[in-house]
Amino acid sequence: MQTNFSSAQLADPHVAESEKILRKCVHCGFCTATCPTYVTLGNELDSPRGRIYLIKDMLENGRPADKEIVTHIDRCLSCLACMTTCPSGVNYMHLVDHARAHIQETYKRPLLDRLTRAMLAFVLPYPQRFRAALKLAKLGKPFIGLFEKVPALKPLAAMLKLAPASIPVASPNALPGVHAGQGAKKGRVAILTGCAQSVLDPAINDTTISLLTRLGVEVVVPPGEGCCGALVHHMGREEAALASARQNVDAWTGAIDQGGLDAIIITASGCGTTIKDYGFMLRLDPAYADKAARVSALAKDITEYLAAFDLPEPVRKPGTIVAYHSACSMQHGQKIIRQPKELLAKAGFVVREPREGHLCCGSAGTYNILQSEISARLRDRKVKNIEATGASIVATGNIGCITQIASAAKLPVVHTIKLLDWAYGGPKPDGVPEERGRG
Ligand code: SF4
Ligand code: SF4
C-alpha cells in the first residue's frame, strides 16, 4: 500500500512503525473472510482491510480520531485472526494498538463510556478491587433486565451477567514465594499470578504449581508481579500498560538475577500474547528495552513449556471426549496450535476440534462488556460449534474464554492444565464427568 507521510510525521517512531506496517498491506482482502466482525456484521469497515484504511487515513492526515473510526476500531476484537490469514505479514496487532492509543489521546468519548472504561481500568487489573467489585455485583444482579433496556448501561448489565455467583477464596500461592520441585531438580520457572484469573479461578495456578513441582520444577512467585497490562493496553491506555510491563520486567529480572529462570510460565494466553510483546512495547525505553526483550523471550504458555518437557507416562488415561477451544491469543497471538491438543491426546483424552475454530468466542478482554451484543453473537456461534462435537468437556487455555463460553454452554469448561494435572495424578477437576477409559 502506498503511503504519504511527511518526514516530520515519520520522525515519530510510532508513526514510522505504523507506516512500515501499512506499506506491507496489498489490499488483497484475504483477511476479511476470517475476521469475526466482518463475518458477523458484513461491513467492509468492520474488516481488517477496512480498519487498515481508516487508520491510514487518520494517521496520514494527522487528525484526531472521530466517531466513525472509533466505532469500527472499538468493534475490533484484537483477536488477530487477520494476522494468521494475511499472506503479506501485516502486523495488524501493532497497528491497531497504535490506533487505540491515538484514539485515547485525541477522542473524547461520551461521559458514560468514559466512566465505564475508567472503572474497568481501575478495577480489573487489581485482584483486591476486582474481588470487592464481584461481591458488589451480587447486589446488582436483580437489576440486569433494567440496565439492559438503557443502551448506555448495557456494559453494566454485561458485567453483572458475567460476574460469577460465588467467588473462590484467594489462594496463598498468589503470594510471593518459592515452591520447591520434588525429587531431582528439572528446572526453575517463575509463574505469572496475574489479576482477574487469580480471583475468578485461582485453582488454575494452584494446579499448575502442583503439576510442575511434582515434575521436579521449582516454581517462583517473585515479589512485585502484577497484571500484565493487556486489559488497559487494549483500551489504548498506553502509559498504564507500560507501567505494568515495567513492574513485571523488574519482578522477573530480579528472579533471573537470583538463581536464573528457564521460563516465565503464563496460564492465560491473553496475558502471554502481551508479555511476549513487552520487548516491542518497551523498545523505546533505554532503561528497559533489553530487559523487556529478555523477559519476552522467556515467556511461555504452560502448554508450550510442557510440550518441550520430558513428561512421564500419565497416571490415568481418562478417555473423556474433550472439545479443545483454541483461544485467539493462543492460536493467532502466539501461534501455539498443536501443543495443547497433543498434550491432551498424550494424556489420554479424545480431542475434538469444533468447526470455525479460528473464530473468536467474543470474550477478548473487556470486549464482552463494552461490545456485548456482537460478543453474545460470537459466543452463541462458538457454543453451537462446540456442542456439535459431542464432547463432554471443553478445554481451553484462557480465563476470558472460560468465563465467556461457560456463560452459555451446557458443558463444563475447564483450563487445559486441570485436565493434564488430572491425568498426571492430580484430583479430578470440578464438574468433569468420571473417566471412561482405562484407570
Ligand atoms: S483483530 Fe480480529 S476482529 Fe480485529 S480486524 Fe483482525 S480479525 Fe477482525
Ligand atoms: S490479508 Fe494482509 S495484505 Fe491482504 S488486505 Fe488483509 S492485511 Fe492487507
Side-chain angles (χ1 to χ4, degrees):
M1 181 183 287
Q2 202 179 354
T3 58
N4 291 298
F5 288 93
S6 68
S7 46
Q9 285 176 306
L10 293 174
D12 177 336
H14 300 288
V15 175
E17 188 64 37
S18 289
E19 194 250 6
K20 267 199 288 178
I21 298 168
L22 289 166
R23 289 178 78 88
K24 280 195 170 181
C25 176
V26 295
H27 330 242
C28 65
F30 287 167
C31 51
T32 56
T34 57
C35 170
T37 54
Y38 182 76
V39 168
T40 306
L41 305 170
N43 180 348
E44 169 73 14
L45 293 179
D46 289 314
S47 77
R49 185 173 58 179
R51 293 185 177 113
I52 287 170
Y53 277 121
L54 289 171
I55 297 170
K56 175 181 186 284
D57 183 55
M58 175 176 73
L59 295 179
E60 257 182 3
N61 292 305
R63 57 180 174 77
D66 58 23
K67 192 163 185 284
E68 184 189 38
I69 190 162
V70 172
T71 299
H72 298 294
I73 297 297
D74 280 357
R75 283 185 193 155
C76 170
L77 296 132
S78 278
C79 70
L80 310 180
C82 47
M83 284 181 63
T84 297
T85 316
C86 177
S88 303
V90 171
N91 194 322
Y92 178 84
M93 175 171 84
H94 289 159
L95 187 67
V96 82
D97 286 346
H98 181 198
R100 290 201 161 111
H102 188 80
I103 289 170
Q104 178 68 13
E105 274 168 28
T106 64
Y107 182 72
K108 191 166 183 187
R109 294 176 180 275
L111 180 64
L112 266 177
D113 192 11
R114 263 183 287 148
L115 287 175
T116 306
R117 286 165 184 269
M119 189 262 288
L120 291 172
F122 180 77
V123 171
L124 290 182
Y126 303 94
Q128 284 182 344
R129 294 178 198 172
F130 185 42
R131 183 174 286 279
L134 288 179
K135 285 183 184 158
L136 271 179
K138 281 188 193 169
L139 304 175
K141 275 193 182 268
F143 303 103
I144 289 174
L146 192 67
F147 295 151
E148 270 182 328
K149 291 193 183 113
V150 183
L153 295 179
K154 281 192 176 172
L156 188 56
M159 248 182 288
L160 294 172
K161 269 195 207 167
L162 284 167
S166 64
I167 311 156
V169 283
S171 168
N173 289 335
L175 299 172
V178 177
H179 304 269
Q182 294 172 14
K185 191 169 172 181
K186 301 266 184 61
R188 183 174 191 264
V189 300
I191 187 166
L192 170 75
T193 48
C195 54
Q197 177 179 286
S198 69
V199 177
L200 292 169
D201 194 351
I204 293 172
N205 268 17
D206 288 349
T207 306
T208 306
I209 292 171
S210 170
L211 178 58
L212 286 173
T213 51
R214 293 201 312 272
L215 292 170
V217 179
E218 182 174 286
V219 183
V220 186
V221 180
E225 272 189 1
C227 168
C228 70
L231 289 165
V232 283
H233 189 47
H234 291 150
M235 286 195 269
R237 293 170 179 257
E238 215 38 40
E239 278 315 309
L242 293 180
S244 291
R246 288 189 185 99
Q247 182 183 334
N248 285 327
V249 168
D250 282 339
W252 291 324
T253 301
I256 294 167
D257 292 344
Q258 290 169 10
L261 288 179
D262 302 321
I264 297 162
I265 299 294
I266 298 146
T267 53
S269 59
C271 309
T273 303
T274 298
I275 293 165
K276 288 181 177 180
D277 202 39
Y278 276 1
F280 177 83
M281 289 165 67
L282 289 167
R283 73 197 183 287
L284 302 173
D285 181 340
Y288 277 87
D290 290 347
K291 287 189 285 181
R294 184 162 57 154
V295 159
S296 289
L298 280 173
K300 296 270 179 291
D301 184 78
I302 180 62
T303 55
E304 206 178 1
Y305 182 77
L306 289 176
F309 199 89
D310 186 17
L311 285 171
E313 277 302 301
V315 172
R316 62 174 68 83
K317 294 213 167 191
T320 319
I321 302 174
V322 176
Y324 173 68
H325 162 73
S326 187
C328 297
S329 43
M330 191 76 84
Q331 59 173 320
H332 305 307
Q334 299 183 59
K335 306 284 181 255
I336 299 172
I337 293 163
R338 53 170 188 82
Q339 296 93 323
K341 293 180 286 186
E342 287 177 2
L343 284 166
L344 285 167
K346 187 177 171 193
F349 294 94
V350 178
V351 182
R352 297 210 175 136
E353 292 181 66
R355 279 184 63 242
E356 300 185 328
H358 62 283
L359 284 184
C360 181
C361 68
S363 166
T366 55
Y367 193 93
N368 49 6
I369 295 169
L370 296 169
Q371 298 285 336
S372 55
E373 284 173 15
I374 304 171
S375 166
R377 286 169 73 178
L378 289 168
R379 179 201 61 202
D380 294 347
R381 187 170 179 148
K382 179 63 68 184
V383 167
K384 200 169 153 212
N385 282 324
I386 286 174
E387 291 183 344
T389 61
S392 44
I393 322 173
V394 187
T396 188
N398 192 44
I399 186 68
C401 308
I402 293 172
T403 311
Q404 173 83 346
I405 297 168
S407 71
K410 295 183 201 86
L411 313 177
V413 188
V414 297
H415 194 288
T416 309
I417 194 66
K418 291 189 183 176
L419 296 182
L420 295 177
D421 180 61
W422 179 31
Y424 286 96
K428 186 168 74 62
D430 285 345
V432 166
E434 289 300 327
E435 57 202 86
R436 293 170 30 164
R438 292 163 286 156

